[in-house]
Amino acid sequence: MYEHILVPIALDHGNHTAQALELAQKLKKEGGRITALTVIEEVPPYIAQYIPEGQLEKNLEEARAQLKAEIGGIPGVKAEVILGHPGISITEYAENKGVDLIVIASHRPGLQDYFLGSTAARVVRHANCSVHVVR
Ligand code: ADP
């Protein structure tokens, strides 16, 4: 059983989200917590200069609303949206926030079962805590 479970959520990965959150609830200690984390890819400075002012904040707000909608009615799940690179930022977040388990889907829906997606693979290799891969 785990104290703080991190469930990284790619907003376009559909039904894997519910499955991962359900599992996290089963693996959570009584009194433990779950954080659902979406990482929005950071735009390099040479592109950022062409993005209209306020657009980035708007995108983050939209992502927050979408993540909350995906979490739906599951109680006690905190929704977090951060800027960064998914493969790197997920493990960094876990280290900084005292996460003791990451529950992550193996790949985007529709790919073959033995396949490990690029983000999931990096998280498995680099995380300091346990990682549960949902297939
Ligand atoms: P693929 O390479 O097939 O797209 P990924 O490894 O990117 O597969 O995705 C597997 C899982 O990694 C997702 O279901 C999600 O749990 C996590 N993940 C991928 N991208 C993100 C992201 N931007 N933010 C949070 N989690 C992500």
Side-chain angles (χ1 to χ4, degrees):
M1 294 299 205
Y2 298 89
E3 195 72 54
H4 186 189
I5 303 181
L6 184 66
V7 183
I9 291 175
L11 292 174
D12 55 352
H13 283 199
N15 57 357
H16 279 172
T17 302
Q19 206 184 341
L21 284 171
E22 217 171 277
L23 183 70
Q25 287 216 302
K26 288 182 185 150
L27 295 172
K28 180 172 71 77
K29 252 186 203 163
E30 213 182 302
R33 58 203 171 104
I34 298 172
T35 302
L37 176 73
T38 294
V39 183
I40 302 292
E41 198 78 49
E42 211 155 14
V43 180
Y46 63 89
I47 294 178
Q49 60 180 315
Y50 299 108
I51 295 176
E53 216 183 301
Q55 185 63 47
L56 196 60
E57 287 71 22
K58 199 169 162 239
N59 293 352
L60 282 171
E61 265 319 304
E62 280 174 10
R64 262 182 220 115
Q66 207 182 328
L67 179 59
K68 281 187 182 150
E70 289 224 8
I71 292 169
I74 302 177
V77 180
K78 183 181 169 194
E80 279 259 54
V81 176
I82 59 171
L83 283 175
H85 182 278
I88 297 168
S89 307
I90 292 168
T91 48
E92 278 181 359
Y93 184 96
E95 275 176 49
N96 295 336
K97 303 286 182 180
V99 167
D100 52 357
L101 177 71
I102 300 172
V103 175
I104 191 164
S106 53
H107 52 71
R108 69 184 58 233
L111 292 182
Q112 284 172 335
D113 279 351
Y114 55 79
F115 187 75
L116 200 55
S118 56
T119 307
R122 198 192 179 280
V123 169
V124 168
R125 269 193 234 109
H126 294 272
N128 278 352
C129 63
S130 300
V131 180
H132 188 119
V133 177
V134 183
R135 289 204 184 274

